[in-house]
Amino acid sequence: MRAEPACTASRARSLRVESVDGELPRGDLRGRDRRALAEVQRTVLYRRHVESGARFGPFAGYEMPIQYEGVLAEHRAVRERAGMFDVSHMGEIRVRGPRALPFLQRLTPNDVGALHPLRAQYSALLTERGTFIDDLLVYCLDPEDYLLVVNAASRARDLELLETAAAAEGHGVQVDDQSDETALIAVQGPRAAEIVADVVGGEAAELRYYSFLHQDGTNRMISRTGYTGEDGFEIYLPSERAEDLWAEFLERGRDVGLAPAGLGARDTLRLEAGMMLCGQDIDEETTPLEAGLSWIVKWKKGDFTGRDALARQREKGCRHRLVGFEVEGRGIARHGHRLTVRDAPGGAGPVTSGAFAPTLGRAIGIARLDCGGGGSPEPGSAATVTVRGREIDCRIVKLPFYRRPKRGV
Amino acid sequence: MIPDDRLYTAQHEWLKVEAGEAVLGITDFAQQELGDVVFVDLPAAGQEFAAGSEIGAIESVKAVAEIYTPVAGSVEAVNDGLEDAPELVNEDPYGEGWLVRLRLGEEGPRDDLMTAADYEAQLAG
């Protein structure tokens, strides 16, 4: 048997560490060879993961827990009860000063001016071509104080871009990388609110979606955000306090079935929820308009990086489109396979994310189609994907694949 | 425990040879490394394979493993139960989670197959 991470195109010669990202170095497990991981970083919660029986894999330069009990069980825990993720590898960049607001308005496409204190916003850093350098969250602490939460893989590049822009701005904007001293724990699922309220205080359960609170005593920030398609919270806190909080969540969440969950489940959860993974679905060749994220582009707020290119694309229409699809035949479409739409308007292109969707019980994916000038395919269009030389029937569907049921009143 | 009634490949497949037939599966180590199996792609009955050729694939949530046969032969039967219950590969890799049964060709198994003890030594090494 020769195994390889599902989203890697090249052939592996022997059994490999599972990976959730195709662009990462892969470690050879035979003989328990861990040399490939020697250079990578660990989060402050590493010991806790070992205690919980985690299996690790490389992700964005970190040795991260991929799974504990198993991806399917962890996925189910988050959909039905609650799961807890260590996502401390994410970057936190603080942007402060009297010029912070106009600075971020110019660097991101969403409208930071519309962001009230203690609210968060999904946005991006774009190239002049309007393509993604990174996607990110902007937290407004006050109109002169913001926290950007960025992907680990692009953190260095984001920081350089922000620092260069701040230097050009002169006085008035200060950029600080707080990633190393900040841990991030996500608690997600229908039972997350009661667990989080129990551990950090009842006011957390009162938070609206995409709002947050700051607790002075413990210096932690609790926001009602996530990357799973469920209700949930993300807790930013000083690294030295992360181990205790992790243990407290495990202890106090036990009664409602809180399970530690790894990046494997995080990937299937976010894919079912139709959320893009930067560096895989969206990258420097993809614009927000092509990705179905035109809502993060605010045309009325003035100039921002990439605006001219996006305006031209809006005028002319998008040649490339990210679309969701379901596999109807037997098989699983994976990153790098090719999807072809058979109904008009057609299109073809690589699958950017593909997996078996545990909640739906079938394989799903996102593909980046070249639609020529014909417009994007309609939901319901027939398509095929080629897997190991065989064509498998698929159907184009609207994103998201999964929407959480409304609970309570 | 690694059953000593069969042979093993360095790539974590097992082969049980009996009366001109061979049953093929993957080892417990292999299923653990793969994680939750969600799809098994098996050949059609009657298909012929040379030793060392790819006869199918096992997919877990996050990985794809190609399966190679260490013997030449034609497919007598495949494990149909895996279509609805691919998790049998995880739950019972040496039993209910078998993959294919081959009618052996003229040439026997490859000579680099290992005994259970050798395979165990490889895992420990």
Side-chain angles (χ1 to χ4, degrees):
Chain A
M1 183 187 80
R2 287 170 208 176
E4 59 186 289
C7 37
T8 307
S10 62
R11 300 247 155 163
R13 294 191 60 81
S14 61
L15 206 61
R16 301 278 177 169
V17 185
E18 298 172 27
S19 169
V20 290
D21 189 322
E23 291 172 10
L24 299 172
R26 289 164 296 159
D28 191 332
L29 271 183
R30 292 173 65 195
R32 294 179 176 77
D33 182 353
R34 293 225 160 231
R35 275 170 303 179
L37 302 177
E39 308 261 314
V40 303
Q41 290 180 270
R42 291 169 173 173
T43 77
V44 289
L45 290 168
Y46 181 82
R47 280 186 305 176
R48 293 281 182 237
H49 304 318
V50 172
E51 284 166 16
S52 293
R55 287 177 49 190
F56 296 87
F59 185 84
Y62 283 80
E63 185 179 6
M64 295 298 289
I66 301 300
Q67 64 168 61
Y68 303 81
E69 188 191 346
V71 177
L72 293 179
E74 293 159 30
H75 184 107
R76 197 175 312 121
V78 172
R79 289 275 181 258
E80 295 173 2
R81 304 183 304 276
M84 174 164 64
F85 303 83
D86 173 19
V87 275
S88 300
H89 62 303
M90 301 285 288
E92 291 83 15
I93 302 174
R94 196 79 172 260
V95 178
R96 281 175 284 198
R99 299 284 301 157
L101 173 57
F103 176 79
L104 289 175
Q105 282 290 51
R106 220 179 53 244
L107 288 176
T108 65
N110 209 335
D111 186 2
V112 188
L115 190 57
H116 297 290
L118 302 181
R119 300 276 298 168
Q121 179 181 78
Y122 180 62
S123 193
L125 290 175
L126 302 176
T127 64
E128 289 291 351
R129 295 184 294 129
T131 59
F132 284 94
I133 293 169
D134 202 358
D135 67 344
L136 48 79
L137 287 182
V138 181
Y139 286 85
C140 176
L141 288 100
D142 74 51
E144 295 187 1
D145 188 354
Y146 298 87
L147 185 71
L148 309 188
V149 180
V150 305
N151 286 295
S154 13
R155 166 183 158 197
R157 178 142 184 238
D158 297 347
L159 189 65
E160 191 191 339
L161 184 155
L162 290 161
E163 281 174 340
T164 305
E169 183 86 26
H171 297 292
V173 184
Q174 190 188 334
V175 173
D176 296 297
D177 183 7
Q178 301 183 333
S179 308
D180 289 338
E181 60 260 35
T182 307
L184 176 52
I185 296 172
V187 181
Q188 303 276 306
R191 307 291 297 271
E194 57 192 282
I195 300 166
V196 171
D198 182 39
V199 173
V200 307
E203 73 267 31
E206 307 297 316
L207 286 170
R208 284 183 298 155
Y209 192 49
Y210 267 68
S211 58
F212 68 99
L213 59 86
H214 183 267
Q215 296 177 323
D216 289 334
T218 50
N219 194 20
R220 57 190 181 202
M221 228 174 83
I222 297 134
S223 78
R224 200 154 199 164
T225 49
Y227 194 51
T228 60
E230 295 301 325
D231 184 21
F233 299 81
E234 292 178 299
I235 298 136
Y236 301 83
L237 75 164
S239 289
E240 66 272 16
R241 294 184 176 159
E243 283 196 309
D244 287 348
L245 187 67
W246 180 271
E248 203 180 339
F249 269 123
L250 272 189
E251 172 72 28
R252 313 246 308 247
R254 188 172 298 146
D255 290 346
V256 295
L258 173 81
L263 293 190
R266 187 170 160 86
D267 194 47
T268 51
L269 288 159
R270 70 91 195 166
L271 181 59
E272 286 185 342
M275 292 168 163
M276 302 292 157
L277 174 58
C278 197
Q280 187 166 308
D281 302 304
I282 53 177
D283 56 22
E284 267 191 61
E285 299 308 316
T286 321
T287 71
L289 308 186
E290 293 164 351
L293 295 171
S294 50
W295 62 273
I296 69 169
V297 181
K298 297 298 194 296
W299 301 99
K300 290 178 184 155
K301 71 163 192 168
D303 196 25
F304 58 88
T305 308
R307 183 189 168 109
D308 293 346
L310 291 174
R312 280 195 300 276
Q313 188 175 53
R314 185 170 64 153
E315 191 90 353
K316 282 171 44 189
C318 296
R319 182 187 170 107
H320 292 94
R321 287 277 184 182
L322 287 182
V323 299
F325 67 91
E326 288 178 353
V327 177
E328 296 187 326
R330 278 175 46 76
I332 300 173
R334 303 284 192 176
H335 179 86
H337 290 158
R338 192 172 172 79
L339 186 82
T340 305
V341 181
R342 301 297 176 185
D343 292 337
V351 173
T352 54
S353 287
F356 175 78
T359 312
L360 307 174
R362 60 176 170 269
I364 59 172
I366 294 172
R368 182 171 190 267
L369 301 182
D370 182 342
C371 304
S376 56
E378 298 291 331
S381 298
T384 54
V385 69
T386 309
V387 179
R388 287 186 289 278
R390 216 174 50 224
E391 287 199 343
I392 301 174
D393 289 336
C394 299
R395 197 160 297 282
I396 303 298
V397 296
K398 263 180 86 154
L399 296 175
F401 302 99
Y402 165 86
R403 221 183 269 278
R404 70 172 179 265
K406 292 267 181 277
R407 290 178 170 91
V409 192
Chain B
M1 272 315 289
I2 297 170
D4 60 6
D5 60 351
R6 59 196 86 187
L7 298 168
Y8 296 86
T9 72
Q11 289 80 35
H12 313 287
E13 289 118 356
W14 57 257
L15 188 76
K16 195 173 175 186
V17 181
E18 260 172 356
E21 288 186 349
V23 179
L24 183 68
I26 67 167
T27 67
D28 186 54
F29 173 84
Q31 70 79 15
Q32 281 183 42
E33 291 305 315
L34 276 172
D36 299 322
V37 173
V38 292
F39 179 67
V40 184
D41 199 359
L42 295 174
Q47 248 183 293
E48 304 254 355
F49 292 94
S53 59
E54 183 183 333
I55 62 164
I58 299 181
E59 302 202 28
S60 68
V61 183
K62 295 311 300 174
V64 181
E66 290 143 4
I67 308 303
Y68 296 82
T69 172
V71 288
S74 64
V75 177
E76 281 269 297
V78 300
N79 186 353
D80 291 330
L82 299 179
E83 187 164 339
D84 291 329
E87 64 273 15
L88 288 173
V89 175
N90 295 117
E91 290 164 3
D92 191 9
Y94 295 119
E96 294 291 304
W98 66 277
L99 302 174
V100 297
R101 197 168 73 237
L102 297 164
R103 161 79 41 198
L104 294 181
E106 300 275 296
E107 43 176 325
R110 248 167 36 194
D111 57 10
D112 57 350
L113 294 178
M114 291 178 276
T115 63
D118 292 343
Y119 179 64
E120 197 162 11
Q122 177 195 300
L123 290 183

